[in-house]
Structures are given as C-alpha cells and as structure tokens.
C-alpha cells in the first residue's frame, strides 16, 4: 500500500483507529477498553455490565479532574463510541435476547496495540527475530522444494547435525542458552501471543463482512433463486478455501489437539520457572495463554456457525414460498436502506403520532366504603400434640456450598489440564441431587468470575447423561438421570 498524501488523508478522516488516536477522549477510551476487553481477553460483555464499569471509571476520574471533564452518562458515551462516525465498539443483540452486547472492533484493538508498543521496553532483542526470519525462509524453501533428491540431501544434512549434537551431549558437552538469549526469545513469544489474540477479532470481522455482502446481494437479487444459491454457496466456500480460511483451520486443528495442549502447558510451566524469565515479571495470564487462544478461536467458530445458520434460515425454500409477500416488502425496505446507508437523509424522515393518555372519568371510580374491623373473641388456645406439627420441615432447606464445589474442581484439575463435568461427578458424586447439579451449571455459566481463573466450555453438540442416587420419601434409594450438554472445565 502506498502511503501517499491522499491515502493518509482518507485514513485520517475515515479510519476508526486514527479517529480514536486523534480524539480528545482518547485516554479515557483506550485505557477503559484496554482494561475491560484486551487485558482480560474478554470477547463481549453486556450493556449493563459495561455501563456499570464505565460509570465507576468516570466517577474516579471526576473525583481527580473535576465534574466538568466527562459530563455525559456512561450509556451516552457507549452509544457514542459505537456510532458510525466513531466505530470503536460493536453493538449487537444475541438471537432471542433484548439486551445489547458490546465488543471491540479490530480497528480499536490495533490502535490500543500501537499505544502499548509506545511504552519503553527494558530489553530489546534482535537475535531471536533474526533466527525466526531464517527459520521461516527455511520452512518456505523446504516446503516448496519439489525435487526429491534435494529434499533428501537437506534431510541428511539435518540428520548429520542432530547426530553431531547427540554425540556432544553424550560426551558431556551440554551447551546452555544464556540469560540474554532466554529473555530475547521469551519477549518475542509474549509479543506474538498478544498479536495472535488480536488477529481473532480481525478474522471474525472478515467473516461478518462476507456475510453482510451476501445478504446485500440477496436483498438486491432479481434473478432466479437457483442462480442465487449457486453464487451464495460459492462465496461461502471461497472464505474457507482462501489463504485466511486455510490458515485459521490449520491453527484450530493444531490447537485442538490434547497432546499439543499438554505440551504447551508443560513447556510454559518450565519456562516461567527459569530465573531469567521470572526476572522479567511476565503477566500472570501468560501461563494460560493457550487457553485464551482456544477461547478466542472457539468464539470465532461459534460466530461463523451462527452466521451460517442464519443464512440457511434466510434462504430456506419453504419460508421463501410461504412468506413471499413479506420477503418482497422486506427486500424493498432493505434496498432503500442500503441506498441511504452512506447518505442518510436530513430533516424529518417519518412522522409518528404522539402518545395518548388513557382517560379515567371521576364517576367511574367506586365510592369509598368503610371496612369492617374484625373483632377477636376471647378464646382459649389449647396446645396440640407435638406429633401433629413437623417442625423439621422449617429447617430442611437445601443450600449448596459453592466453595466446596470450587475446591473439588480445583483439586481435580491439579492432576489433569481439563475434565468434563460427568467425569468429575464420577469421583465427586452429587450430594444434594438436582440442586447441586444446577449449581454446577451456574458455575460453568459464570466462568472465571466464580471459578477463580478456571475456565468452562459448554459443547451443545454432545449430550451426556448424569446419574445420581437420592432418598425417596419412603426412605428407599432411587436413581435419577438428567440429559444435558457436555461441560468441560480447564485450567
């Protein structure tokens, strides 16, 4: 891309990242969104929670800088940040809910990442990046070599180098990496790990752009439906077969391997225990950065699946035939909306009738009537038999101890990196029946807020049977069963 004067002028006027950096409220926007979304790797949050956190932030700033610095309410700032002329937040609604959700846009994350890069680094290494460049060139050269003889020559050379290194280690010559080289490589690992997390939002944004273009084509389509389906399905396959789609699929397959996850966990535990790395004081989330990758990738996969499902419903043949008239009206509205999207009309667009008040006549109200006060007769209360009243029911209440459940989960994850709820209940059976099972689901839905940093993933595609024993009213033991989606806890 050529950075000429015209291009940069256009970016300054239209790019959300540039508008954020040039905004007078940039310190508030960047610091708040970094603390809420980027640092804890949060993909989306509800409007009520985000407004509450922003209100606390504004209160603290007004106490320091004065009430006139940020005079608006938190909800006004949030709606302003997701307006088309800003584009720093994405506001949307989940299917079946009426509560707005917020997420960062890729442009905002790029601006925040650039601000993070401005901080002065205590150590700038170049050796590891140079070695990474050589390794990438070697992978490209080897992977593109079609001559078997040259490939065999390269493999034999590597084998000779490995044999020579094995001989040196057997003879007692074990070369170790010095502290400078360790710091150099670890800082590069941290930088690449953060960049990988930010790439997920860009990938998800690209998928949404593709879905939006397909819907625009459907809204403006006037040909046969068979031709439309061929073009739509071709574009849906094109994103998966593109360079970005193939790279994301290869990354996801690599990360979903349980062996790779265990290997990453073991290597991170070993490296973070080195004195040279501990002196850098890495972020606590570095130990579980691969779980952050998995969570971000899973969110992207769910978004793509949801877009595909909505598109299938949009193209459903039966709905197309049954609601043909409705679709024609909606298509007309969408066509006009697309035409006015870049040029919104000015002035009055539509006139609506004002709200009318309900009329209640005074004569419709009933007259006041005196209420008769009951008179208590002088009766003698007789005490009944103790057996007639079962007072134990007043104290027979089921209260599930969430602390006990968290301790059981934490103890199970000390021996393995992940465990399903069904496997956990085989070693820790339900003591309070269905109430305890519902509490487990509540903890899984609440996530790290209740699980002290642990993660929970719900797989709706796999159903599991949970069984437990309980005492019936007659004292006999009965077995209960519940069918539910698979819940997996990870550390």
């Amino acid at each position: 891309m050529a950075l000429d004067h015209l291009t940069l002028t256009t970016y300054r006027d239209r790019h959300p990242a540039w508008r954020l950096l040039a905004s007078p409220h940039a310190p508030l926007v960047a610091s708040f969104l970094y603390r809420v979304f980027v640092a804890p790797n949060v993909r989306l949050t509800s409007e009520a929670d985000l407004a509450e956190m922003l209100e606390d932030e504004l209160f603290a700033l007004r106490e320091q800088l004065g009430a006139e610095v940020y005079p608006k309410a938190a909800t006004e700032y949030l709606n302003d940040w997701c307006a088309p002329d800003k584009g720093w937040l994405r506001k949307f609604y989940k299917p079946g809910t009426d509560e707005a959700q917020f997420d960062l846009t890729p442009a905002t994350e790029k601006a925040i990442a650039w601000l993070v890069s401005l901080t002065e680094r205590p150590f700038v290494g170049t050796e590891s990046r140079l070695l990474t460049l050589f390794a990438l060139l070697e992978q490209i050269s080897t992977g593109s070599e079609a001559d078997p003889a040259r490939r065999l020559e390269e493999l034999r050379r590597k084998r000779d180098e490995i044999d020579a290194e094995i001989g040196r280690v057997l003879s007692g010559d074990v070369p170790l990496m010095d502290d400078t080289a360790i710091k150099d490589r670890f800082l590069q690992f941290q930088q690449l790990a953060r960049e990988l997390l930010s790439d997920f939002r860009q990938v998800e944004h690209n998928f949404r752009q593709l879905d939006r273009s397909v819907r625009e084509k459907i809204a403006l389509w006037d040909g046969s439906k068979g031709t439309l389906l061929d073009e739509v399905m071709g574009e849906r396959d094109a994103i998966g077969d593109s360079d970005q789609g193939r790279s994301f699929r290869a990354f996801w397959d690599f990360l979903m391997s349980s062996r790779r996850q265990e290997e990453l966990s073991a290597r991170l535990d070993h490296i973070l225990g080195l004195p040279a790395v501990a002196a850098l004081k890495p972020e606590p989330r570095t130990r579980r950065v691969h779980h952050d990758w998995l969570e971000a990738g899973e969110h992207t996969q769910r978004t793509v699946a949801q877009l595909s499902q909505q598109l299938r419903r949009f193209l459903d043949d039966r709905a197309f035939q049954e609601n043909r008239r409705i679709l024609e009206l909606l298509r007309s509205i969408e066509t006009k909306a697309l035409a006015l999207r870049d040029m919104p009309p000015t002035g009055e667009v539509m006139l609506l009738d004002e709200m009318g008040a309900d009329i209640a006549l005074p004569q419709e109200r009933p007259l006041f009537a005196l209420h008769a006060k009951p008179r208590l007769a002088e009766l003698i209360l007789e005490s009944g038999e103790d057996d007639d009243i079962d007072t134990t029911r007043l104290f027979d209440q089921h209260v599930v101890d969430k602390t006990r459940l968290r301790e059981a989960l934490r103890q199970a994850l000390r021996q393995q990196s992940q465990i399903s709820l069904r496997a956990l209940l085989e070693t820790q059976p339900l003591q309070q029946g269905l109430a305890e099972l519902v509490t487990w689901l509540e903890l899984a839905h609440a996530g790290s807020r209740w699980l002290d940093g642990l993660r929970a993933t719900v797989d709706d595609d796999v159903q599991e049977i949970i069984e437990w024993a309980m005492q019936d009213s007659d004292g006999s033991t009965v077995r209960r069963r519940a069918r539910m989606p698979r819940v997996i806890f990870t550390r």
Side-chain angles (χ1 to χ4, degrees):
M1 182 186 67
L3 293 180
D4 51 39
H5 186 274
L6 179 61
T7 302
L8 293 179
T9 303
T10 304
Y11 270 113
R12 184 194 61 186
D13 297 336
R14 298 185 180 182
H15 201 283
W18 199 317
R19 288 200 294 258
L20 172 59
L21 297 174
S23 171
H25 292 170
L28 169 64
V29 180
S31 61
F32 175 73
L33 297 182
Y34 174 80
R35 179 175 61 85
V36 174
F37 288 99
V38 179
N41 188 34
V42 172
R43 292 286 142 179
L44 55 91
T45 182
S46 63
E47 182 177 16
D49 295 339
L50 191 61
E52 182 180 359
M53 289 185 285
L54 180 56
E55 198 64 57
D56 295 340
E57 182 84 5
L58 293 174
F59 177 80
L61 292 175
R62 288 163 184 163
E63 289 290 323
Q64 298 175 4
L65 307 176
E68 69 280 356
V69 179
Y70 299 108
K72 296 182 181 179
T75 54
E76 295 183 38
Y77 281 116
L78 292 179
N79 292 328
D80 184 45
W81 296 350
C82 60
D85 60 334
K86 300 293 192 303
W88 303 332
L89 284 176
R90 185 175 71 92
K91 183 178 181 180
F92 63 99
Y93 293 85
K94 288 184 177 180
T97 63
D98 56 356
E99 185 179 13
Q101 305 288 325
F102 286 87
D103 189 15
L104 276 185
T105 59
T108 305
E109 192 160 16
K110 288 180 181 178
I112 294 176
W114 184 77
L115 292 174
V116 172
S117 66
L118 294 181
T119 59
E120 185 175 345
R121 290 183 293 175
F123 175 77
V124 179
T126 55
E127 179 192 5
S128 62
R129 284 181 286 180
L130 181 61
L131 294 177
T132 301
L133 293 177
F134 273 99
L136 291 175
L137 291 177
E138 183 180 0
Q139 292 175 12
I140 296 173
S141 176
T142 304
S144 60
E145 181 59 59
D147 187 1
R150 299 192 63 177
R151 279 211 173 190
L152 288 175
E153 181 182 355
E154 182 67 19
L155 291 174
R156 291 191 182 98
R157 183 185 65 80
K158 292 181 179 179
R159 184 184 61 185
D160 295 339
E161 293 178 355
I162 294 174
D163 291 339
E165 185 175 359
I166 293 175
R168 290 194 299 268
V169 172
L170 291 176
S171 62
D173 182 12
V174 182
L176 296 178
M177 192 177 294
D178 58 14
D179 292 348
T180 302
I182 293 176
K183 293 178 181 179
D184 185 4
R185 286 156 177 79
F186 181 76
L187 290 175
Q188 186 187 8
F189 167 79
Q190 279 192 314
Q191 180 181 357
L192 292 177
R194 287 192 297 265
E195 292 176 355
L196 185 58
L197 280 176
S198 63
D199 289 342
F200 279 107
R201 277 196 174 89
Q202 186 64 50
V203 172
E204 190 175 334
H205 175 74
N206 292 344
F207 280 127
R208 285 198 184 89
Q209 289 295 106
L210 173 67
D211 184 79
R212 183 177 181 178
S213 64
V214 170
R215 290 174 183 270
E216 291 180 1
K217 179 176 292 186
I218 294 174
L220 301 174
W221 187 262
D222 56 357
S224 64
K225 192 175 182 183
T227 307
L228 171 63
L229 289 175
D230 289 339
E231 291 203 14
V232 168
M233 294 303 107
E235 292 194 18
R236 296 298 293 182
D237 294 337
I239 189 65
D241 296 335
S242 64
D243 295 338
Q244 178 176 264
R246 291 179 180 179
S247 177
F248 179 76
R249 186 166 57 249
F251 163 80
W252 185 252
D253 294 340
F254 180 88
L255 195 61
M256 285 300 293
S257 172
S258 58
R259 182 178 62 85
R260 294 291 187 181
Q261 293 183 23
E262 294 175 358
E263 182 181 354
L264 280 172
S265 299
R267 290 184 182 275
L268 283 173
D269 291 339
H270 171 69
I271 292 173
L272 291 174
L274 297 176
V277 175
L280 295 174
K281 297 180 180 180
E283 300 176 358
R285 297 187 65 89
T286 306
R287 188 178 299 275
R288 55 183 318 278
V289 65
H290 51 300
H291 295 297
D292 290 341
W293 295 340
L294 187 63
E295 181 180 352
E298 183 180 359
H299 186 270
T300 303
Q301 291 279 51
R302 287 182 177 178
T303 300
V304 175
Q306 183 180 356
L307 292 176
S308 300
Q309 184 179 8
Q310 292 175 356
L311 186 61
R312 284 196 299 269
R313 288 199 303 263
F314 196 65
L315 293 171
D316 184 68
D317 186 70
R318 180 178 298 178
F320 184 82
Q321 295 297 333
E322 293 177 352
N323 305 313
R324 185 173 183 177
R325 176 56 181 165
I326 299 176
L327 289 175
E328 290 178 356
L329 294 175
L330 293 177
R331 181 178 302 173
S332 175
I333 296 173
E334 290 175 344
T335 303
K336 295 178 180 178
L338 291 174
L340 297 176
R341 183 178 63 185
D342 297 329
M343 295 180 296
T346 59
E348 294 182 352
V349 179
M350 180 182 298
L351 296 178
L352 298 176
D353 295 334
E354 294 182 352
M355 301 295 292
D358 296 334
I359 300 176
L361 299 177
Q363 287 77 8
E364 294 180 351
R365 302 177 61 184
L367 297 176
F368 176 75
L370 291 174
H371 294 283
K373 297 182 179 181
R375 297 182 61 185
L376 299 178
E378 295 181 359
L379 300 177
I380 300 176
L381 298 179
E382 297 180 358
S383 60
E385 299 294 337
D386 294 339
D387 296 338
D388 296 340
I389 302 176
D390 186 9
T391 58
T392 59
R393 293 186 176 274
L394 298 176
F395 306 98
D396 188 13
Q397 301 293 328
H398 291 284
V399 178
V400 180
D401 187 5
K402 295 182 181 180
T403 303
R404 176 177 63 84
L405 302 185
R406 286 197 296 266
E407 290 299 328
L409 176 60
R410 188 179 294 106
Q411 184 178 2
L413 290 178
R414 289 173 183 169
Q415 302 175 358
Q416 47 190 331
S417 60
Q418 64 181 21
I419 187 172
S420 65
L421 179 58
R422 180 180 178 183
L424 177 61
L425 294 182
E426 290 178 357
T427 58
Q428 302 286 340
L430 296 176
Q431 301 178 10
Q432 295 172 276
L434 184 59
E436 185 174 342
L437 181 60
V438 172
T439 306
W440 275 115
L441 294 177
E442 179 185 356
L443 293 176
H445 178 72
S448 60
R449 181 179 59 180
W450 284 98
L451 296 178
D452 297 336
L454 304 179
R455 294 286 181 179
T457 303
V458 180
D459 188 357
D460 297 327
D461 298 332
V462 180
Q463 299 290 321
E464 292 185 339
I465 302 296
I466 305 296
E467 296 184 358
W468 70 91
M470 62 177 297
Q471 295 291 330
D472 205 351
S473 58
D474 57 358
S476 59
T477 302
V478 294
R479 304 286 299 180
R480 301 294 187 189
R481 305 177 65 191
R483 183 187 300 273
M484 55 178 290
R486 174 184 291 173
V487 179
I488 300 177
F489 296 100
T490 58
R491 58 180 170 87

